[in-house]
Amino acid sequence: MGERAKSLALMGAGILLGSASTLFLLRLMSRKVAIQRSENAIELNSNTKCHAVGEDPTSNHGMACADILSDDIVSEQLSRNIQFLGLESQHKVIGSYVVVIGLGGVGSHAASMLLRSGIGRLLLVDFDQVSLSSLNRHAVATRSDVGTPKASCLKEHFLSIFPECHIEAKVMLYDSSSEDEILSGHPDFVLDCIDNIDTKVALLAACVRRGLKVLSAMGAGARADPTRIRVADLRESTNDPLSRSVRHRLKKTYGIEGGIPVVFSLEKPKAKLLPFKGPSGEEENPSAYQIVPGFRIRIIPVLGTIPAIFGQVMASYVVTQLAGLQIHTEPVVSLDLDHYRTLHQRLIEHEESLYGTSELVQVDVDEVMYVTKELWHGRSAREPFPKDVGRGMWRSVNELMLVRWDREKPASVSNLVLLKFKEVDEHESKTLDEIKAHEPEFFTSVSAVLKQAEEDFGLQHQ
């Protein structure tokens, strides 16, 4: 009995040892296959002549979409994107070149998702290094990266994620002397993730001057509510001190009043810059310790999730833009239900005054909200860009009303324009043919907006 037990024990040990050896060999083989695949992908990246559609094949802009997506590893890695965007649109993404300036909590996450979405070429720019306090919000940095340049840190990690991407890292400060080096090469998009106002304003002005598409991140620090993050024109950003300062300086110094999309939070900051304490522990003048003049060295409290979401929003916006996917961002309209009720009542009273009845008013308060907010963004159809934001918009509603676009049709969601009181009489005195003849651009823009309402409500064939 003892010998039999011993034999069984030896057999069991042999089985366990064999299983462990088999498992080890399988893992080793899998690892070798993965390494070989990665090496093949890197070789593909270095040997392929890459260019975007319509571009000089000898240039270094973008990637050779068809060649790279034909690789099994790449096509599988980007399979979810291809299923969502379509193969042709994914080609556009791979053929794109994006510059990300500022690689902290916002920029690192934006760059990371651009990479994972298959952007073919990335330029990463930041003069700063990874610190321990960066780790609560940085996309990829670890403790072993502390003290290394943020740009180099991202490039190293990125090459292990999507080695087919052509990544260039520049450890430098953006300013007038480095502008040409950073912004040359015709990037398809520039992401401004800088937290210094002077540098941010200079970059935005340079992009406008060069005709480059740019998306700018406003203040992400001292916020906690992810549901209040928006993408809108710089003119529409509210409750954000950084936006206010950037708007003022762009207009004063460069004459730029808007036309720049920004990511911002409607949430008021919950904290201010912390006081600066020197080595003695006493509060001191921060400027005496600045390594780079003009750059903030005092700390603003940051919940790491919010800058990360800012970066994700920026990446999503850019990828969809590059892919040609139409996204209608939620308009920033600071009105409440009473305002919409007032607009509805004005419409009824106007119909009764002009036509003797309100029977052809085919909208309720909810539909008035849709027309006012989604179609006209809380401003007159004759005012393409916002002049009143925040409290100013609340005041501006006192001079707005909804009227029929075509007087021959009922007051429905697809036949209402929002105008100022002083614009209504002139509008009512003209026919659509007269508007089309004398104001073709205005006629076309309004018709396009009302067409959207038809599509949203399924009214095309009614």
Side-chain angles (χ1 to χ4, degrees), residues 190-442:
V190 177
L191 268 64
D192 159 38
C193 305
I194 303 169
D195 61 3
N196 173 261
I197 297 176
D198 294 336
T199 310
K200 179 181 288 289
V201 169
L203 171 61
L204 295 177
C207 288
V208 172
R209 186 177 67 253
R210 289 170 173 260
L212 298 176
K213 290 184 178 180
V214 61
L215 176 63
S216 180
M218 295 293 116
R223 273 91 171 176
D225 187 352
T227 67
R228 301 193 191 186
I229 298 172
R230 298 287 187 275
V231 179
D233 191 278
L234 177 61
R235 282 170 286 213
E236 296 183 77
S237 55
T238 59
N239 290 340
D240 180 31
L242 181 56
S243 295
R244 189 163 53 247
S245 297
V246 170
R247 269 198 307 270
H248 173 74
R249 297 193 189 191
L250 277 174
K251 182 177 180 179
K252 181 179 179 181
T253 308
Y254 301 98
I256 298 171
E257 296 189 36
I260 299 172
V262 299
V263 179
F264 70 102
S265 174
L266 292 167
E267 181 183 12
K268 291 183 179 179
K270 298 190 178 303
K272 297 180 179 180
L273 287 171
L274 298 179
F276 179 79
K277 295 183 178 181
S280 65
E282 300 293 326
E283 288 191 24
E284 296 188 26
N285 182 3
S287 61
Y289 293 85
Q290 287 176 326
I291 299 174
V292 179
F295 272 73
R296 170 176 54 81
I297 63 171
R298 287 192 296 162
I299 297 170
I300 187 168
V302 179
L303 182 64
T305 54
I306 300 301
I309 296 171
F310 265 58
Q312 303 283 340
V313 169
M314 295 182 83
S316 182
Y317 179 90
V318 170
V319 169
T320 53
Q321 288 277 312
L322 294 173
L325 182 64
Q326 293 298 317
I327 299 293
H328 298 289
T329 56
E330 183 181 7
V332 181
V333 179
S334 301
L335 304 179
D336 58 30
L337 190 57
D338 287 339
H339 290 115
Y340 298 116
R341 287 175 179 151
T342 298
L343 290 170
H344 185 245
Q345 185 60 36
R346 283 179 190 162
L347 173 60
I348 292 173
E349 292 174 357
H350 181 70
E351 288 279 314
E352 292 174 343
S353 173
L354 193 62
Y355 303 104
T357 177
S358 61
E359 289 182 357
L360 292 181
V361 174
Q362 298 181 354
V363 291
D364 56 21
V365 174
D366 287 338
E367 289 165 334
V368 164
M369 182 185 301
Y370 162 82
V371 172
T372 303
K373 181 177 180 179
E374 300 292 335
L375 297 185
W376 303 114
H377 296 190
R379 56 183 179 266
S380 168
R382 290 190 171 278
E383 186 181 295
F385 301 110
K387 294 180 181 177
D388 298 302
V389 296
R391 293 183 180 273
M393 185 173 286
W394 285 31
R395 292 190 295 269
S396 70
V397 77
N398 293 325
E399 55 183 33
L400 291 171
M401 63 184 297
L402 290 165
V403 298
R404 297 188 203 183
W405 173 241
D406 185 347
R407 285 179 293 170
E408 303 302 318
K409 296 180 180 179
S412 66
V413 290
S414 60
N415 191 38
L416 288 172
V417 290
L418 191 62
L419 296 172
K420 293 183 177 180
F421 292 160
K422 61 184 179 182
E423 298 167 340
V424 171
D425 289 341
E426 182 181 358
H427 175 74
E428 301 285 9
S429 68
K430 298 178 180 178
T431 66
L432 285 187
D433 288 338
E434 289 174 331
I435 295 175
K436 185 176 182 179
H438 296 99
E439 299 179 275
E441 291 185 3
F442 176 64

Side-chain angles (χ1 to χ4, degrees), residues 2 25-26 47 64 75 81 96 225 230 241 275 303 356 367 371 394 401 438 443 452 456:
L25 289 172
L26 286 173
N47 292 336
S75 62
N81 279 58
S96 298
D225 187 352
R230 298 287 187 275
L303 182 64
E367 289 165 334
V371 172
W394 285 31
M401 63 184 297
H438 296 99
F443 179 87
Q452 179 189 329
D456 289 349

